[in-house]
Amino acid sequence: MINKIVDSMAEAVAGLQDGAAIMISGFGDAGAPAELIEAVIAQGATDLTIISNNAGAGEVGIAALMKAKRVRKVICSFPRQNGSHHFEARYRAGEVELELVPQGNLACRIEAAGAGLGAVYTPTGYGTLLAEGKETREIDGRHYVLEYPIHADFALVKARAADRWGNLVYRKVARNFGPIMARAARTTVVQVAEIVELGALDPETIVTPGIFVNRVVLSSAPATA
Amino acid sequence: MQRMDRTALAARVARDIPEGAYVNLGIGAPTMVANYLPQDKEVFLQSENGLLGMGPAPAEADIDWELINAGKQPVTLLAGGSFFHHGDSFAMMRGGHIDICVLGAFQVSVHGDLANWHTGAPDAVPAVGGAMDLAIGARQVFVMMDLLTKAGESKLVEKCTYPLTGLACVSRVYSDVAVFSVGPEGARVIEMVPDMTLEELRGMTGLPLEMA
């Protein structure tokens, strides 16, 4: 019997190594797997590359990873926001490298990794600082920039519910990067508010099929309808 | 001369959004355009964090932090609205499915180049978000801005000096004193606030402006 559900947050992030690249779902706090990030801090891996839309704000989540000095590099679209002081302090001190990527290019590079593509030609960023030094091509009269896939060792994702095969449904805009990150990592770990029986999720509405998921762990936070 | 304030400007932009348009409103002042869309027409608001059919802010008791807009403010979902992931969201933009986006700007060139993500200051922590995707992806890009900076310099320019967000992507500029079209033929004045003259606009911008 296949059961991807693990009993603890610690088990969910087991095997994470120093130097790993980790994708973290979320747009601001919506969809951010706060408990899995806490588990990474407790687990101790360091020198991490974080791939996420933001670089953390406030004191929990990615901000806590920054504060704990576990991050070597951030690949994101919007690191500067209210409360992003932990990132900014590390960045200004030269301790954290930033690869700034337009949000849609971040999405399509993650999608490319999950879909097994070698690269994508994207029109976003053409002629700007963020495309400097990159290969370009004109296709049917439009200019494109060659962008490479972003792979990860781990993806930490928050979803609303899962079954033991790892099929997932999300909640409202907390979905954001979850489905595409789940496909792009070697090990995808999902924090859910609810675990349901196999067959309880309507196959027509499953957003992430279990093939993209390795481990599921139940969040201790109360579920929201 | 009667300058348009932020709300008047938002209302002016809203007048140019037709029923049935798929629209993305940028963070900040552009978000206010939503308040002036006519109630009797259906316009589809998209937010890049994964919703289409975005409705107004909820009552305090109904705030849900998993139902927010790109500016991370609580919103609602209209009947018929939908949720989707970031791949789909940016396919909507990049793929040309968004009819209009409304953005703020530091500078816009007469040919429609946009600078709105970075001041170029060496000590600034840069952030770009979805600005570059919206700029090149939406069929029409409307910019909402004051014509002059606080220091009195024109933000409508021959050539942008700030780092670019996108090339030749803006079609209209809605400023506090005039509405302009920009593009391959350069900038043209579509309308001016009462008491404004073409001569005065030329003086403010340093550009050889003509009426559209």
Side-chain angles (χ1 to χ4, degrees):
Chain A
M1 190 182 93
I2 296 303
N3 185 11
K4 297 183 180 179
I5 298 157
V6 299
D7 291 333
S8 68
M9 291 288 162
E11 221 177 307
V13 300
L16 182 65
Q17 306 212 327
D18 289 352
I22 308 179
M23 290 180 178
I24 301 180
S25 67
F27 184 93
D29 288 338
E35 288 167 80
L36 284 172
I37 298 171
E38 276 173 45
V40 169
I41 294 171
Q43 191 260 2
T46 191
D47 208 21
L48 302 170
T49 293
I50 300 299
I51 300 131
S52 194
N53 190 56
N54 306 99
E59 300 298 322
V60 298
I62 297 175
L65 267 178
M66 293 287 166
K67 189 179 179 184
K69 301 194 176 191
R70 300 293 180 73
V71 181
R72 180 180 63 82
K73 181 178 179 182
V74 178
I75 303 175
C76 76
S77 88
F78 210 78
R80 186 191 65 231
Q81 61 183 109
N82 275 343
S84 59
H85 47 274
H86 286 304
F87 164 76
E88 290 184 35
R90 300 280 169 261
Y91 175 72
R92 289 188 195 282
E95 295 167 13
V96 172
E97 181 190 342
L98 171 65
E99 180 179 344
L100 190 70
V101 182
Q103 201 170 158
N105 284 357
L106 186 64
C108 75
R109 291 175 64 188
I110 292 168
E111 287 191 291
L117 302 179
V120 287
Y121 278 108
T122 167
T124 304
Y126 177 81
T128 76
L129 273 180
L130 299 186
E132 256 176 25
K134 292 180 178 175
E135 198 176 321
T136 60
R137 179 180 282 212
E138 189 178 333
I139 303 170
D140 286 340
R142 198 168 190 206
H143 295 282
Y144 296 85
V145 182
L146 184 68
E147 292 282 3
Y148 291 98
I150 302 174
H151 296 273
D153 299 297
F154 270 70
L156 309 182
V157 169
K158 181 179 177 181
R160 189 185 70 74
D163 59 29
R164 65 178 173 84
W165 282 7
N167 294 308
L168 306 178
V169 292
Y170 298 82
R171 186 172 177 277
K172 301 187 179 180
V173 300
R175 181 183 306 194
N176 59 66
F177 282 91
I180 63 174
M181 287 180 169
R183 300 195 300 228
R186 196 167 298 131
T187 301
T188 291
V189 182
V190 186
Q191 163 187 330
V192 294
E194 189 187 359
I195 288 170
V196 300
E197 288 299 316
L198 209 59
L201 296 175
D202 177 356
E204 297 285 3
T205 63
I206 288 171
V207 177
T208 296
I211 189 170
F212 299 123
V213 173
N214 302 92
R215 302 173 192 169
V216 172
V217 62
L218 186 62
S219 164
S220 60
T224 321
Chain B
M1 180 188 66
Q2 185 133 29
R3 289 176 65 240
M4 277 190 282
D5 64 13
R6 285 269 167 108
T7 55
L9 194 53
R12 176 62 192 86
V13 174
R15 265 174 43 205
D16 286 353
I17 297 178
E19 180 161 35
Y22 287 91
V23 178
N24 183 298
L25 301 175
I27 293 172
T31 305
M32 293 169 59
V33 172
N35 302 337
Y36 299 95
L37 294 170
Q39 298 293 317
D40 58 340
K41 290 185 193 167
E42 291 188 320
V43 169
F44 304 101
L45 295 182
Q46 193 253 20
S47 190
E48 62 257 38
N49 56 319
L51 71 160
L52 191 59
M54 181 168 62
E60 187 83 24
D62 297 327
I63 287 176
D64 179 343
W65 291 105
E66 290 184 342
L67 185 50
I68 57 174
N69 64 16
K72 303 186 176 82
Q73 299 159 317
V75 293
T76 49
L77 192 73
L78 301 178
S82 54
F83 300 120
F84 38 85
H85 64 64
H86 255 74
D88 284 349
S89 182
F90 282 79
M92 290 176 193
M93 294 180 202
R94 208 191 296 111
H97 309 285
I98 300 289
D99 297 302
I100 297 170
C101 83
V102 184
L103 297 171
F106 297 140
Q107 288 177 327
V108 177
S109 84
V110 294
H111 297 114
D113 293 348
L114 172 67
N116 79 346
W117 71 282
H118 193 5
T119 61
D123 61 336
V125 175
V128 64
M132 289 187 179
D133 305 277
L134 276 169
I136 58 89
R139 288 169 176 272
Q140 290 191 80
V141 175
F142 293 172
V143 162
M144 245 176 103
M145 66 182 195
D146 287 337
L147 185 59
L148 302 181
T149 64
K150 288 199 178 92
E153 291 166 338
S154 178
K155 295 166 75 173
L156 180 65
V157 293
E158 184 61 38
K159 193 174 186 315
C160 295
T161 53
Y162 283 13
L164 292 179
T165 306
L167 298 173
C169 55
V170 179
S171 50
R172 269 190 195 186
V173 175
Y174 295 83
S175 80
D176 52 342
V177 293
V179 179
F180 305 89
S181 65
V182 293
E185 273 87 60
R188 296 276 185 279
V189 180
I190 295 174
E191 64 187 48
M192 297 178 276
V193 295
D195 304 329
M196 174 58 79
T197 65
L198 196 54
E199 202 50 46
E200 210 173 336
L201 273 184
R202 286 176 183 148
M204 289 169 83
T205 58
L207 297 169
L209 294 166
E210 297 293 345
M211 294 303 292

